[in-house]
Amino acid sequence: MKKIITLISALVISVVSFSGVSNAADSKKPIVIPTHNWSSQIVMAYVIGGIFESMGNNVKYVNTDSQAVYEAIRIGDVDISHEVWESAFGKSFTTALDKGGIVDWGDHEARTLEDMGYPNWVAAKGLCPGLPDWTALKNPDCAKNFTTPDSGGKGRMLEGPQTWHGDLIPQRVDALGLGDLWTVKFAGSADALWAELVSAEKEGRGTIIFNWTPNFTDGAGFTFIDFPPYTAGCRPEDGGDGKCGSPDGYLKKAVNVNFPKTHPAAAATLKKMSFSTSHIGAMAALVDVDKLTHEDAAKKWLADNKSVWEAFTK
Ligand code: TMO
C-alpha cells in the first residue's frame, strides 16, 4: 500500500511539474486573434498568426468590433490585441484595464496619428489657402471647394466608420465653430475613404478625409491638418470642450491575463514584437496598393522580413 501511494505521489509530482508554468509548452488550444476593418490590422493578425504557427501553436481568427474587443479580451473570448491605437481605442482599452482581466503588453516602435487631412494636390491646386493650419477652414472660399451633392452647400469632410471613434470629429467641428461651413459624413469602410481620394481628384474638387499613420499613404503625399494640440482631458468624452486635435499616440499590444500562463512562449514572443512605421505601412500597402488578399499579404510580408520576426521568437 505504502509503495502504491509513493508511486502515485511521484506520478502526481511529475505530471504537475510537466505542466508547470515556468517551462511549460504552449497549450494546443487555438490562440484567438481578432480582425477589424482596416488593412494593417488584418494583415498583422495573419502575420502574428503565422509567427505563432511557426512556433507550433494553433490559431483562430475572429472578426470583432474594434471597441468591444477590449471587453472580449478582458473576459477571455479573445486572447490578444496587436494594434491598440491611442486616439480611437485608448478610452475603451483603459476602461477594460481598470476592470481587470486584460494586461498592457507593451508598445510597438511606431507612433501613431489618426486625424483629418488631405491629399497634397488639394493644397497645390490652391483649394484652401493656409492649410495645414486648421484656421484656414474658417474661410467660406475654402469650404465651397469641398461641397458634394449630399453636403447641403457646406464643405464635406469624410470621416471613417463611426465605430472607430463615434462623434469625435462632428463634435470637434462644432466646438471649433466650423459647423456653419462644414458637415461631416461617415464612410462605410476604409475602402470608401480611398475611393473618395480617387473620385475627388477625378472631379477636381477638394477633399478632406480621416486617415492615419502608419498607413500605405505615408510618403504618398498626404498631409494631416494641424488642429489645436491635444492635451489630456481635452475631449468631450473626458470632460473637455473638444477644441483639440488627436494625440501623438501610442500603438500598443494587449493580452488576456491568462494568456501568458496558457501560452507562455507565444506570450513572450508577442511581448518582444515591435513593428515600425515602415513595417506597418508595408503591411497596408500590400493590400491597398498591390491588391493582395490579407492572407497573401501576410505570407509575403513574413517571407520578405524573416530576420525581423524571427528575432521576436528567440
Ligand atoms: C483605428 N484606425 C487606425 C483606423 O484609426
Side-chain angles (χ1 to χ4, degrees), residues 41-75:
Q41 196 278 343
I42 308 171
V43 175
M44 200 191 292
Y46 292 119
V47 162
I48 293 173
I51 295 170
F52 286 167
E53 282 174 340
S54 82
M55 303 166 63
N57 279 290
N58 297 308
V59 298
K60 185 174 137 190
Y61 304 96
V62 289
N63 187 243
T64 314
D65 175 82
S66 55
Q67 299 288 353
V69 70
Y70 302 105
E71 180 66 13
I73 295 171
R74 203 182 72 73
I75 64 178

Side-chain angles (χ1 to χ4, degrees), residues 38 85 88-89 114 164 210 212:
W38 65 96
W85 293 68
F89 312 125
E114 304 164 74
W164 289 345
F210 176 71
W212 55 92

